[in-house]
C-alpha cells in the first residue's frame, strides 16, 4: 500500500508569492492533518479534516494559510502571501479513524527568501 | 484542554542499555488514546506504539514498551537493548475519544545511542 505522498519535496519561494503544497493520504483513510514543524515551535497543527469536513483549524494560521480537501484522496495547503518566517517543513498525515495512529508523509521543506 | 508535555529535551545512552522517555498529559476526557512516534534524522516520522486509556495492561511492541500510570497522567516509553539505529527524536501524542480535535503532540525527546 502506498503511504502518504507529498509534493513537492522542496520549495523555494520569494516573499509575497503564493505557494501550494499537495498531499495524498493513505487510501481509505478518513482523517487528514496538516502540520508545520520547526525546531523552535515543534509540531504545530494547521488543519484537520475528517471525511473532507474541516474539524479544526490552527488558530494562529487562519490568516494566510488555507487547506482544502478537494476529494477524499487529495488535499492542498495554500500559503498566500508567503513570508520568510514561513520557512519550515510542512507535514501531511492521515489516519483511518479518530482512534487510530497517524501515518506521516515525507514533508515539504519550504524556504521563503 | 488537551496538553502533552515531554520534559526531557535530550537523552544520551550507551548501546544495549534500557532507556525510558517521559511524557505527561492533561485531559478532561475519561477515554483517550496515547501514541509514541519516532522521527529519524531523515525527517521520516513513524508510529511506534499506542496505549488505550481503558486498558490496564501496558502495551508492548518488539523492544518498545509503555509504562502507563493513569493516576499520574503519565505514559513513559521504554526501549530495551537500545541500538544505534534507535537514535532519533521521539514524540508522545494524545487524542481524546469524545473530542473532534486533532491529536496533541509533545515537544519531543532527542535520543542519542552511543556505541
Amino acid at each position: 500500500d502506498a503511504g502518504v505522498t507529498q509534493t513537492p519535496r522542496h520549495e523555494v519561494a520569494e516573499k509575497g508569492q503564493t505557494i501550494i503544497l499537495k498531499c495524498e493520504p493513505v487510501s481509505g483513510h478518513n482523517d487528514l492533518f496538516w502540520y508545520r514543524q520547526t525546531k523552535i515551535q515543534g509540531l504545530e497543527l494547521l488543519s484537520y479534516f475528517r471525511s473532507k469536513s474541516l474539524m479544526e483549524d490552527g488558530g494562529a494560521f487562519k490568516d494566510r494559510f488555507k487547506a482544502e480537501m478537494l476529494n477524499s484522496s487529495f488535499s492542498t495547503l495554500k500559503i498566500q502571501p508567503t513570508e520568510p518566517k514561513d520557512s519550515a517543513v510542512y507535514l501531511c498525515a492521515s489516519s483511518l479513524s479518530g482512534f487510530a495512529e497517524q501515518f506521516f508523509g515525507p514533508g515539504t521543506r519550504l524556504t521563503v527568501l | 484542554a488537551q496538553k502533552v508535555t515531554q520534559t526531557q529535551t535530550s537523552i544520551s545512552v550507551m548501546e544495549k542499555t534500557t532507556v525510558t522517555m517521559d511524557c505527561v498529559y492533561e485531559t478532561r476526557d475519561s477515554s483517550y488514546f496515547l501514541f509514541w512516534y519516532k522521527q529519524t534524522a531523515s525527517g521520516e516520522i513513524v508510529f511506534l506504539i499506542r496505549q488505550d486509556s481503558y486498558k490496564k495492561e501496558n502495551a508492548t511492541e518488539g523492544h518498545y514498551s509503555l509504562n502507563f500510570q493513569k493516576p499520574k497522567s503519565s505514559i513513559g516509553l521504554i526501549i530495551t537493548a537500545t541500538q544505534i539505529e534507535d537514535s532519533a527524536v521521539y514524540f508522545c501524542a494524545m487524542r481524546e475519544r469524545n473530542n473532534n480535535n486533532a491529536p496533541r503532540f509533545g515537544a519531543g525527546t532527542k535520543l542519542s545511542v552511543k556505541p
Side-chain angles (χ1 to χ4, degrees):
Chain A
D1 280 342
V4 177
T5 58
Q6 290 186 247
T7 54
R9 294 294 309 277
H10 301 274
E11 179 80 61
V12 179
E14 296 284 337
K15 178 183 173 182
Q17 264 188 279
T18 296
I19 62 107
I20 297 177
L21 309 182
K22 303 179 182 106
C23 173
E24 295 179 37
V26 174
S27 178
H29 280 192
N30 295 310
D31 287 5
L32 184 138
F33 311 84
W34 282 100
Y35 293 95
R36 183 171 83 172
Q37 186 177 33
T38 60
K39 286 187 178 178
I40 296 174
Q41 298 293 337
L43 277 164
E44 300 173 281
L45 177 72
L46 299 174
S47 295
Y48 161 39
F49 294 89
R50 173 174 293 170
S51 300
K52 300 192 295 179
S53 296
L54 182 64
M55 303 301 291
E56 187 177 6
D57 226 336
F61 297 96
K62 289 181 180 178
D63 190 21
R64 297 178 294 107
F65 294 73
K66 184 174 177 61
E68 290 183 303
M69 281 214 71
L70 284 75
N71 56 55
S72 60
S73 58
F74 186 70
S75 177
T76 58
L77 174 67
K78 181 192 287 187
I79 308 176
Q80 178 183 36
T82 51
E83 297 181 5
K85 65 181 180 181
D86 299 332
S87 297
V89 175
Y90 290 81
L91 292 159
C92 179
S94 69
S95 67
L96 184 61
S97 72
F99 314 139
E101 64 271 19
Q102 293 168 293
F103 290 74
F104 283 82
T108 296
R109 181 173 293 278
L110 173 66
T111 302
V112 182
L113 305 175
Chain B
Q2 304 176 78
K3 187 177 179 182
V4 177
T5 303
Q6 295 178 255
T7 56
Q8 300 157 306
T9 305
S10 63
I11 301 175
S12 182
V13 301
M14 299 302 293
E15 193 179 12
K16 301 178 185 175
T17 60
T18 295
V19 64
T20 298
M21 283 173 270
D22 301 329
C23 175
V24 293
Y25 55 89
E26 294 176 24
T27 178
R28 295 178 188 166
D29 204 332
S30 59
S31 182
Y32 47 90
F33 307 92
L34 301 160
F35 306 89
W36 279 90
Y37 294 85
K38 172 184 178 181
Q39 185 171 35
T40 60
S42 68
E44 181 187 21
I45 299 178
V46 295
F47 163 73
L48 294 178
I49 190 169
R50 67 180 278 172
Q51 179 80 37
D52 298 346
S53 64
Y54 57 86
K55 292 185 178 179
K56 292 186 177 179
E57 193 172 305
N58 289 322
T60 63
E61 190 69 50
H63 77 144
Y64 303 109
S65 61
L66 296 177
N67 179 18
F68 181 40
Q69 299 183 60
K70 196 170 183 179
K72 294 183 179 181
S73 297
S74 171
I75 184 74
L77 173 68
I78 302 167
I79 307 177
T80 56
T82 51
Q83 303 162 11
I84 302 296
E85 311 85 82
D86 293 324
S87 296
V89 177
Y90 291 81
F91 292 97
C92 173
M94 176 188 66
R95 195 161 192 187
E96 295 174 336
R97 185 186 186 95
N98 300 308
N99 185 318
N100 288 321
N101 289 344
R104 285 340 191 220
F105 282 81
T109 296
K110 183 175 182 179
L111 175 66
S112 298
V113 181
K114 300 189 184 307

Tab-separated table of all heavy atoms in Angstrom, chain A residues 12-50:
chain	number	residue	atom	x	y	z
A	12	VAL	N	11.174	26.595	-2.943
A	12	VAL	CA	11.798	27.869	-2.619
A	12	VAL	C	10.912	28.963	-3.196
A	12	VAL	O	10.555	28.928	-4.377
A	12	VAL	CB	13.223	27.984	-3.203
A	12	VAL	CG1	13.818	29.340	-2.854
A	12	VAL	CG2	14.104	26.864	-2.658
A	13	ALA	N	10.538	29.915	-2.360
A	13	ALA	CA	9.638	30.978	-2.794
A	13	ALA	C	10.205	32.330	-2.401
A	13	ALA	O	10.943	32.460	-1.427
A	13	ALA	CB	8.258	30.777	-2.164
A	14	GLU	N	9.837	33.323	-3.180
A	14	GLU	CA	10.177	34.697	-2.845
A	14	GLU	C	9.092	35.222	-1.902
A	14	GLU	O	7.920	34.825	-1.999
A	14	GLU	CB	10.220	35.564	-4.101
A	14	GLU	CG	11.302	35.186	-5.101
A	14	GLU	CD	12.662	35.649	-4.649
A	14	GLU	OE1	12.736	36.591	-3.835
A	14	GLU	OE2	13.674	35.069	-5.107
A	15	LYS	N	9.457	36.117	-1.052
A	15	LYS	CA	8.485	36.740	-0.143
A	15	LYS	C	7.337	37.330	-0.952
A	15	LYS	O	7.560	38.020	-1.950
A	15	LYS	CB	9.186	37.841	0.664
A	15	LYS	CG	8.258	38.588	1.606
A	15	LYS	CD	9.002	39.706	2.314
A	15	LYS	CE	8.028	40.560	3.120
A	15	LYS	NZ	8.724	41.707	3.781
A	16	GLY	N	6.113	37.047	-0.521
A	16	GLY	CA	4.955	37.590	-1.201
A	16	GLY	C	4.325	36.666	-2.225
A	16	GLY	O	3.212	36.908	-2.696
A	17	GLN	N	5.040	35.586	-2.557
A	17	GLN	CA	4.492	34.632	-3.528
A	17	GLN	C	3.390	33.795	-2.913
A	17	GLN	O	3.246	33.722	-1.679
A	17	GLN	CB	5.617	33.675	-3.955
A	17	GLN	CG	6.332	34.043	-5.246
A	17	GLN	CD	7.268	32.940	-5.681
A	17	GLN	OE1	8.384	32.830	-5.164
A	17	GLN	NE2	6.841	32.118	-6.608
A	18	THR	N	2.645	33.149	-3.786
A	18	THR	CA	1.650	32.157	-3.369
A	18	THR	C	2.195	30.780	-3.690
A	18	THR	O	2.694	30.556	-4.799
A	18	THR	CB	0.324	32.356	-4.120
A	18	THR	OG1	-0.236	33.623	-3.762
A	18	THR	CG2	-0.669	31.247	-3.770
A	19	ILE	N	2.153	29.887	-2.719
A	19	ILE	CA	2.612	28.529	-2.994
A	19	ILE	C	1.531	27.538	-2.587
A	19	ILE	O	0.716	27.801	-1.698
A	19	ILE	CB	3.939	28.199	-2.269
A	19	ILE	CG1	3.766	28.281	-0.760
A	19	ILE	CG2	5.053	29.124	-2.708
A	19	ILE	CD1	3.766	26.934	-0.126
A	20	ILE	N	1.503	26.429	-3.273
A	20	ILE	CA	0.530	25.375	-2.988
A	20	ILE	C	1.264	24.066	-2.785
A	20	ILE	O	2.015	23.616	-3.658
A	20	ILE	CB	-0.491	25.227	-4.127
A	20	ILE	CG1	-1.306	26.508	-4.277
A	20	ILE	CG2	-1.423	24.038	-3.865
A	20	ILE	CD1	-2.291	26.503	-5.425
A	21	LEU	N	1.044	23.475	-1.637
A	21	LEU	CA	1.615	22.174	-1.323
A	21	LEU	C	0.519	21.123	-1.456
A	21	LEU	O	-0.648	21.395	-1.167
A	21	LEU	CB	2.178	22.175	0.100
A	21	LEU	CG	3.125	23.325	0.458
A	21	LEU	CD1	3.629	23.167	1.883
A	21	LEU	CD2	4.270	23.410	-0.524
A	22	LYS	N	0.937	19.919	-1.874
A	22	LYS	CA	-0.066	18.890	-2.153
A	22	LYS	C	0.164	17.647	-1.291
A	22	LYS	O	1.302	17.337	-0.928
A	22	LYS	CB	-0.010	18.490	-3.631
A	22	LYS	CG	-0.197	19.674	-4.573
A	22	LYS	CD	-0.113	19.265	-6.015
A	22	LYS	CE	-0.243	20.480	-6.913
A	22	LYS	NZ	0.990	20.897	-7.521
A	23	CYS	N	-0.929	16.966	-1.031
A	23	CYS	CA	-0.864	15.759	-0.201
A	23	CYS	C	-1.893	14.739	-0.670
A	23	CYS	O	-3.051	15.076	-0.920
A	23	CYS	CB	-1.121	16.119	1.265
A	23	CYS	SG	-1.277	14.683	2.359
A	24	GLU	N	-1.453	13.488	-0.736
A	24	GLU	CA	-2.366	12.370	-0.984
A	24	GLU	C	-2.302	11.446	0.216
A	24	GLU	O	-1.241	10.894	0.512
A	24	GLU	CB	-1.968	11.620	-2.256
A	24	GLU	CG	-2.101	12.439	-3.523
A	24	GLU	CD	-1.665	11.677	-4.758
A	24	GLU	OE1	-1.916	10.462	-4.828
A	24	GLU	OE2	-1.061	12.289	-5.655
A	25	PRO	N	-3.414	11.277	0.940
A	25	PRO	CA	-3.399	10.422	2.130
A	25	PRO	C	-3.382	8.953	1.746
A	25	PRO	O	-3.536	8.602	0.580
A	25	PRO	CB	-4.711	10.788	2.826
A	25	PRO	CG	-5.610	11.190	1.700
A	25	PRO	CD	-4.720	11.879	0.692
A	26	VAL	N	-3.210	8.120	2.755
A	26	VAL	CA	-3.313	6.687	2.541
A	26	VAL	C	-4.743	6.373	2.084
A	26	VAL	O	-5.710	6.912	2.641
A	26	VAL	CB	-2.997	5.918	3.835
A	26	VAL	CG1	-3.237	4.423	3.651
A	26	VAL	CG2	-1.555	6.168	4.265
A	27	SER	N	-4.861	5.529	1.082
A	27	SER	CA	-6.166	5.193	0.538
A	27	SER	C	-7.090	4.628	1.626
A	27	SER	O	-6.703	3.738	2.389
A	27	SER	CB	-5.996	4.150	-0.569
A	27	SER	OG	-7.244	3.763	-1.090
A	28	GLY	N	-8.292	5.192	1.708
A	28	GLY	CA	-9.263	4.704	2.692
A	28	GLY	C	-9.227	5.414	4.026
A	28	GLY	O	-10.100	5.200	4.871
A	29	HIS	N	-8.223	6.247	4.237
A	29	HIS	CA	-8.154	6.987	5.494
A	29	HIS	C	-9.153	8.134	5.490
A	29	HIS	O	-9.336	8.817	4.488
A	29	HIS	CB	-6.742	7.518	5.730
A	29	HIS	CG	-5.806	6.493	6.263
A	29	HIS	ND1	-4.560	6.804	6.770
A	29	HIS	CD2	-5.942	5.149	6.405
A	29	HIS	CE1	-3.980	5.692	7.192
A	29	HIS	NE2	-4.789	4.679	6.979
A	30	ASN	N	-9.789	8.330	6.658
A	30	ASN	CA	-10.826	9.358	6.747
A	30	ASN	C	-10.333	10.690	7.301
A	30	ASN	O	-10.963	11.716	7.093
A	30	ASN	CB	-11.958	8.856	7.641
A	30	ASN	CG	-12.662	7.670	7.032
A	30	ASN	OD1	-13.052	7.694	5.871
A	30	ASN	ND2	-12.815	6.611	7.804
A	31	ASP	N	-9.242	10.634	8.057
A	31	ASP	CA	-8.729	11.845	8.705
A	31	ASP	C	-7.458	12.314	8.013
A	31	ASP	O	-6.567	11.505	7.717
A	31	ASP	CB	-8.408	11.570	10.185
A	31	ASP	CG	-9.659	11.435	11.030
A	31	ASP	OD1	-10.770	11.454	10.465
A	31	ASP	OD2	-9.525	11.322	12.260
A	32	LEU	N	-7.370	13.637	7.811
A	32	LEU	CA	-6.175	14.199	7.195
A	32	LEU	C	-5.747	15.421	7.993
A	32	LEU	O	-6.586	16.235	8.405
A	32	LEU	CB	-6.429	14.596	5.731
A	32	LEU	CG	-5.185	15.096	4.984
A	32	LEU	CD1	-5.131	14.514	3.577
A	32	LEU	CD2	-5.091	16.599	4.952
A	33	PHE	N	-4.436	15.535	8.187
A	33	PHE	CA	-3.867	16.596	9.017
A	33	PHE	C	-2.745	17.316	8.267
A	33	PHE	O	-1.965	16.676	7.556
A	33	PHE	CB	-3.263	16.006	10.299
A	33	PHE	CG	-4.154	15.058	11.030
A	33	PHE	CD1	-4.222	13.724	10.666
A	33	PHE	CD2	-4.904	15.485	12.106
A	33	PHE	CE1	-5.035	12.832	11.340
A	33	PHE	CE2	-5.725	14.600	12.801
A	33	PHE	CZ	-5.791	13.274	12.418
A	34	TRP	N	-2.655	18.604	8.496
A	34	TRP	CA	-1.503	19.381	8.050
A	34	TRP	C	-0.816	19.950	9.291
A	34	TRP	O	-1.475	20.537	10.167
A	34	TRP	CB	-1.936	20.534	7.149
A	34	TRP	CG	-2.265	20.152	5.750
A	34	TRP	CD1	-3.500	19.953	5.208
A	34	TRP	CD2	-1.326	19.956	4.673
A	34	TRP	NE1	-3.394	19.630	3.876
A	34	TRP	CE2	-2.078	19.634	3.530
A	34	TRP	CE3	0.063	20.031	4.561
A	34	TRP	CZ2	-1.489	19.374	2.283
A	34	TRP	CZ3	0.644	19.771	3.345
A	34	TRP	CH2	-0.119	19.449	2.218
A	35	TYR	N	0.502	19.771	9.337
A	35	TYR	CA	1.309	20.302	10.428
A	35	TYR	C	2.467	21.110	9.857
A	35	TYR	O	2.939	20.863	8.755
A	35	TYR	CB	1.924	19.163	11.274
A	35	TYR	CG	0.959	18.330	12.052
A	35	TYR	CD1	0.468	17.128	11.536
A	35	TYR	CD2	0.553	18.701	13.323
A	35	TYR	CE1	-0.396	16.334	12.261
A	35	TYR	CE2	-0.317	17.909	14.066
A	35	TYR	CZ	-0.791	16.729	13.525
A	35	TYR	OH	-1.644	15.949	14.246
A	36	ARG	N	2.944	22.039	10.687
A	36	ARG	CA	4.180	22.731	10.371
A	36	ARG	C	5.187	22.338	11.455
A	36	ARG	O	4.829	22.324	12.650
A	36	ARG	CB	3.974	24.239	10.378
A	36	ARG	CG	5.209	25.020	9.990
A	36	ARG	CD	4.905	26.473	9.799
A	36	ARG	NE	4.891	27.208	11.046
A	36	ARG	CZ	4.799	28.533	11.097
A	36	ARG	NH1	4.683	29.230	9.985
A	36	ARG	NH2	4.797	29.141	12.254
A	37	GLN	N	6.404	22.040	11.045
A	37	GLN	CA	7.429	21.665	12.014
A	37	GLN	C	8.634	22.595	11.900
A	37	GLN	O	9.225	22.748	10.837
A	37	GLN	CB	7.875	20.212	11.826
A	37	GLN	CG	8.845	19.751	12.912
A	37	GLN	CD	9.239	18.301	12.803
A	37	GLN	OE1	9.347	17.743	11.708
A	37	GLN	NE2	9.449	17.656	13.948
A	38	THR	N	8.987	23.194	13.036
A	38	THR	CA	10.203	23.981	13.137
A	38	THR	C	10.934	23.532	14.397
A	38	THR	O	10.332	22.935	15.294
A	38	THR	CB	9.916	25.491	13.245
A	38	THR	OG1	9.116	25.717	14.427
A	38	THR	CG2	9.172	26.013	12.042
A	39	LYS	N	12.223	23.850	14.469
A	39	LYS	CA	12.988	23.429	15.643
A	39	LYS	C	12.503	24.145	16.891
A	39	LYS	O	12.518	23.593	17.985
A	39	LYS	CB	14.475	23.682	15.403
A	39	LYS	CG	15.085	22.686	14.437
A	39	LYS	CD	16.576	22.840	14.342
A	39	LYS	CE	17.141	21.783	13.388
A	39	LYS	NZ	18.593	21.918	13.207
A	40	ILE	N	12.084	25.389	16.726
A	40	ILE	CA	11.679	26.170	17.895
A	40	ILE	C	10.269	25.823	18.355
A	40	ILE	O	10.012	25.616	19.538
A	40	ILE	CB	11.791	27.683	17.593
A	40	ILE	CG1	13.257	28.047	17.344
A	40	ILE	CG2	11.218	28.509	18.747
A	40	ILE	CD1	13.469	29.464	16.900
A	41	GLN	N	9.329	25.754	17.428
A	41	GLN	CA	7.917	25.551	17.789
A	41	GLN	C	7.491	24.089	17.779
A	41	GLN	O	6.409	23.764	18.269
A	41	GLN	CB	7.022	26.348	16.834
A	41	GLN	CG	7.242	27.851	16.873
A	41	GLN	CD	6.825	28.452	18.191
A	41	GLN	OE1	6.012	27.890	18.922
A	41	GLN	NE2	7.389	29.594	18.515
A	42	GLY	N	8.303	23.224	17.205
A	42	GLY	CA	7.922	21.821	17.143
A	42	GLY	C	6.827	21.581	16.120
A	42	GLY	O	6.753	22.275	15.118
A	43	LEU	N	5.941	20.625	16.413
A	43	LEU	CA	4.851	20.277	15.506
A	43	LEU	C	3.630	21.139	15.825
A	43	LEU	O	3.070	21.049	16.905
A	43	LEU	CB	4.473	18.807	15.680
A	43	LEU	CG	5.302	17.779	14.929
A	43	LEU	CD1	5.067	16.392	15.496
A	43	LEU	CD2	4.968	17.800	13.452
A	44	GLU	N	3.218	21.947	14.869
A	44	GLU	CA	2.072	22.830	15.050
A	44	GLU	C	0.962	22.409	14.088
A	44	GLU	O	1.204	22.250	12.892
A	44	GLU	CB	2.442	24.280	14.759
A	44	GLU	CG	3.548	24.842	15.636
A	44	GLU	CD	3.971	26.219	15.166
A	44	GLU	OE1	4.727	26.288	14.177
A	44	GLU	OE2	3.528	27.207	15.779
A	45	LEU	N	-0.248	22.264	14.598
A	45	LEU	CA	-1.363	21.878	13.756
A	45	LEU	C	-1.823	23.054	12.898
A	45	LEU	O	-2.048	24.156	13.406
A	45	LEU	CB	-2.540	21.406	14.615
A	45	LEU	CG	-3.803	21.036	13.836
A	45	LEU	CD1	-3.591	19.714	13.092
A	45	LEU	CD2	-5.005	20.950	14.769
A	46	LEU	N	-1.964	22.821	11.626
A	46	LEU	CA	-2.505	23.831	10.721
A	46	LEU	C	-3.989	23.559	10.465
A	46	LEU	O	-4.822	24.445	10.617
A	46	LEU	CB	-1.750	23.824	9.394
A	46	LEU	CG	-0.255	24.129	9.462
A	46	LEU	CD1	0.395	23.958	8.104
A	46	LEU	CD2	-0.013	25.529	9.990
A	47	SER	N	-4.308	22.348	10.059
A	47	SER	CA	-5.696	21.988	9.760
A	47	SER	C	-5.920	20.496	9.972
A	47	SER	O	-4.993	19.708	9.811
A	47	SER	CB	-6.068	22.322	8.310
A	47	SER	OG	-6.048	23.699	8.069
A	48	TYR	N	-7.161	20.168	10.282
A	48	TYR	CA	-7.560	18.776	10.465
A	48	TYR	C	-8.905	18.582	9.773
A	48	TYR	O	-9.861	19.300	10.046
A	48	TYR	CB	-7.643	18.453	11.953
A	48	TYR	CG	-8.458	17.222	12.315
A	48	TYR	CD1	-8.420	16.070	11.544
A	48	TYR	CD2	-9.260	17.228	13.449
A	48	TYR	CE1	-9.170	14.961	11.886
A	48	TYR	CE2	-10.006	16.125	13.803
A	48	TYR	CZ	-9.967	14.989	13.014
A	48	TYR	OH	-10.704	13.895	13.355
A	49	PHE	N	-8.966	17.584	8.877
A	49	PHE	CA	-10.185	17.240	8.142
A	49	PHE	C	-10.619	15.829	8.511
A	49	PHE	O	-9.792	14.927	8.660
A	49	PHE	CB	-9.950	17.271	6.625
A	49	PHE	CG	-9.662	18.630	6.074
A	49	PHE	CD1	-8.362	19.100	6.024
A	49	PHE	CD2	-10.677	19.438	5.607
A	49	PHE	CE1	-8.074	20.356	5.512
A	49	PHE	CE2	-10.406	20.697	5.080
A	49	PHE	CZ	-9.097	21.150	5.040
A	50	ARG	N	-11.913	15.663	8.606
A	50	ARG	CA	-12.481	14.321	8.736
A	50	ARG	C	-13.507	14.172	7.630
A	50	ARG	O	-14.462	14.956	7.540
A	50	ARG	CB	-13.135	14.107	10.096
A	50	ARG	CG	-13.889	12.762	10.185
A	50	ARG	CD	-14.396	12.511	11.559
A	50	ARG	NE	-13.284	12.296	12.477
A	50	ARG	CZ	-13.402	12.237	13.794
A	50	ARG	NH1	-14.581	12.419	14.354
A	50	ARG	NH2	-12.356	12.018	14.551
